[in-house]
Amino acid sequence: MADTASQDSRDGRQARARRRLTAVQVRTITTPGRYGDGGGLYLVVDRSGARRWVVRLVVRGTRHDLGLGSASAVSLAEARAEAARLRALARRGGDPLADRRRAQRPVPTVREAAIQVHAQRAVTFRSAKHRHQWLQSLAQAVFPVLGDRPVDAVTSSDILAVLTPIWTTTPETARRVKQRLKVIFEWAVAAGYRPAALANPVEGVTRVLPRPPRERAHHPALPYAQVPALLQTLATVEAYEPTKLAFEFLILTAARTSEVLGARWDEIDRDARLWV
């Protein structure tokens, strides 16, 4: 019985091998139809004589036919290898159709990605000025260098080329540009435009940049005689009311900025007019 089963198995393999296509058949078949190669791979010959590859897959319980290209451009061996890869992906629970759709989407440039991220985050900006500055800083420092580069083609060396000229001259602007670029590339990965296997090109760049110089200059001081006019102007400008009152409180008490920022109501005795 064992010998019989072994022979049947060999006969089955030989029969399947005889049914598989050959490279000569792929080149010479002219009768329209669908010719199987096994494993769901088919050579489709159209009435026009054109030949193309199609692989039949079951993706999450649903059968699909996925084109693999023209037989004149894709060899029999290449078609078999790609069909095997797609079958393995489908068996693991993947979705070759979704991967194909993502691959066919045009990858946005850095400029296009920045505009999309800016539009999505617009409602979170503190003010119209901040909303304008967010994109303007990129337009000045990034777009002339990387604006037309696809987001999946940017490397850490590209980010270094953007940040190096401004890192020590305008360190605060450079820090903000770096943070905004990091957000843009995080979005590109999440949206499927940049493979997750590629590290965010912004990560680690600061380790090779020089340390920005520390600013030691004091803030400009207002002449004492102009303080009353400042308080009058402060009362008329549009600003967050607690901020204006805190600033006036700072001036009238001659306290330190950190003391005013950290003040608590339980420190203030209104009846005694005393802040401890």
Side-chain angles (χ1 to χ4, degrees):
M1 290 293 292
D3 291 342
T4 302
S6 177
Q7 182 61 44
D8 290 344
S9 177
R10 286 194 295 271
D11 292 344
R13 287 196 298 270
Q14 292 172 357
R16 287 193 295 272
R18 286 194 296 271
R19 288 197 299 270
R20 300 193 76 180
L21 294 170
T22 66
V24 173
Q25 288 176 314
V26 172
R27 293 194 303 269
T28 58
I29 292 176
T30 58
T31 304
R34 179 182 288 240
Y35 299 87
D37 184 64
L41 177 63
Y42 294 90
L43 174 69
V44 178
V45 181
D46 296 329
R47 292 184 181 277
S48 64
R51 300 174 179 83
R52 53 193 171 86
W53 295 109
V54 172
V55 61
R56 176 161 292 178
L57 302 170
V58 177
V59 180
R60 298 175 183 176
T62 304
R63 191 175 67 182
H64 298 277
D65 285 353
L66 197 62
L68 302 182
S70 169
S72 62
V74 179
S75 69
L76 175 59
E78 292 170 337
R80 285 171 176 168
E82 179 63 7
R85 186 188 72 83
L86 294 174
R87 286 197 303 271
L89 178 61
R91 283 197 302 270
R92 294 194 300 268
D95 189 344
L97 297 170
D99 289 350
R100 177 73 60 87
R101 287 192 292 268
R102 283 194 293 270
Q104 292 174 344
R105 285 191 305 169
V107 176
T109 63
V110 173
R111 179 184 289 103
E112 292 167 342
I115 292 172
Q116 290 191 54
V117 173
H118 179 262
Q120 292 175 6
R121 296 169 64 91
V123 296
T124 67
F125 292 122
R126 298 188 301 270
S127 64
K129 180 181 179 181
H130 184 211
R131 184 165 57 249
H132 172 73
Q133 288 178 337
W134 199 95
L135 201 57
Q136 184 64 21
S137 64
L138 299 174
Q140 292 177 347
V142 179
F143 295 169
V145 182
L146 297 178
D148 296 328
R149 188 81 57 86
V151 292
D152 63 346
V154 176
T155 65
S156 295
S157 63
D158 296 321
I159 303 300
L160 190 63
V162 167
L163 294 178
T164 298
I166 60 175
W167 193 251
T168 56
T169 56
T170 53
E172 183 61 23
T173 298
R175 184 188 63 79
R176 292 175 180 175
V177 167
K178 171 183 170 291
Q179 180 60 32
R180 290 160 190 173
L181 283 171
K182 182 179 178 182
V183 171
I184 290 169
F185 286 104
E186 287 175 348
W187 171 86
V189 172
Y193 292 117
R194 185 177 174 90
L198 291 178
N200 190 318
V202 182
E203 296 288 353
V205 169
T206 53
R207 290 198 292 268
V208 298
L209 286 166
R211 178 173 295 181
R214 296 184 62 182
E215 295 184 5
R216 297 182 179 276
H218 294 290
H219 294 295
L222 185 70
Y224 178 78
Q226 297 179 23
V227 172
L230 171 65
L231 291 176
Q232 291 178 354
T233 302
L234 186 64
T236 61
V237 298
E238 292 186 6
Y240 185 50
E241 193 65 25
T243 301
K244 295 198 305 183
L245 292 174
F247 193 57
E248 183 175 355
F249 183 81
L250 175 74
I251 294 172
L252 295 176
T253 60
R256 294 180 179 273
T257 303
S258 59
E259 294 171 344
V260 175
L261 290 173
R264 302 191 307 271
W265 285 115
D266 59 13
E267 299 173 346
I268 299 173
D269 186 338
R270 294 192 178 191
D271 295 333
R273 302 174 66 83
L274 182 66
W275 174 26
V276 178

